Amino acid sequence: MDDDEAIARSLTGDLAAYEALVTRYSALAHRTAVMLGAGDEAQDVVQEAFVKAYRHLASFRRDAPFRPWLLRIVANETHTLTRSRGRRGELALRLGAIADAAAPDDPEGAAVAADRRTRLLAAVRDLPERERQAVVCRYFLQLTEAETAQVLGWPVGTVKSSTHRGLARLRKGVGNELA
């Protein structure tokens, strides 16, 4: 069942149809929450986001894609969480999500790759919040500029400029080290 059918059936009260959407997007929603700063509380953020999405499903524009709409809710919930904690959340990535360039039987290559990954993630974590959010959405979550704009609630131009500035900072800070 595609998203449109699942949404239509969910609106008629079919909880199994909504469960299909939850199953389809849970991992992405969790990864988004973690990468935007929810840390250990990502599961709570995702659960709250799915509850809010269900409650507001009737207001969902049926001609729009569901994924960016849901991720916008996840981003908002993550922002609310990090704001309520009174500090910026930690960016934690599952290292398995990043392709390992080293061969498994090359311990030196694996160590170098792990060190590069650690330095890159630290540099991304240290970016100003807007730049970090833009870079995470565009390159870690692989969203388009339009989807990133929708998820973050920003104009596309702001996404472009924040992404550009974030990448420039990363190139300046760790670009030469990672080459």
Side-chain angles (χ1 to χ4, degrees), residues 1 5-20 54:
M1 145 179 26
E5 182 183 350
I7 291 166
R9 288 177 49 187
S10 296
L11 288 169
T12 65
D14 184 350
L15 293 178
Y18 193 69
E19 185 178 340
Y54 184 75

Side-chain angles (χ1 to χ4, degrees), residues 33-106:
V34 168
M35 295 176 101
L36 292 178
D40 293 337
E41 297 172 274
Q43 193 59 40
D44 294 336
V45 166
V46 169
Q47 184 174 358
E48 184 63 27
F50 274 114
V51 169
K52 283 190 176 182
Y54 184 75
R55 281 191 208 134
H56 296 95
L57 200 55
S59 66
F60 171 69
R61 270 191 20 242
R62 298 292 296 278
D63 60 335
F66 181 75
R67 181 176 82 145
W69 182 76
L70 173 66
L71 294 182
R72 170 80 188 263
I73 296 170
V74 172
N76 288 342
E77 287 301 307
T78 302
H79 179 71
T80 299
L81 170 73
T82 57
R83 190 179 61 224
S84 71
R85 286 194 302 214
R87 60 181 173 82
R88 223 168 93 179
E90 284 294 314
L91 173 65
L93 295 174
R94 296 174 187 226
L95 296 180
I98 298 176
D100 191 359
D105 59 343
D106 179 14

Side-chain angles (χ1 to χ4, degrees), residues 31-39 85 87-94 120-127 132-133 135-136 140:
R31 192 167 55 244
T32 301
V34 168
M35 295 176 101
L36 292 178
R85 286 194 302 214
R87 60 181 173 82
R88 223 168 93 179
E90 284 294 314
L91 173 65
L93 295 174
R94 296 174 187 226
L120 176 61
L121 294 178
V124 170
R125 193 178 302 118
D126 290 340
L127 287 173
R132 178 177 51 85
Q133 289 175 331
V135 168
V136 163
F140 289 91

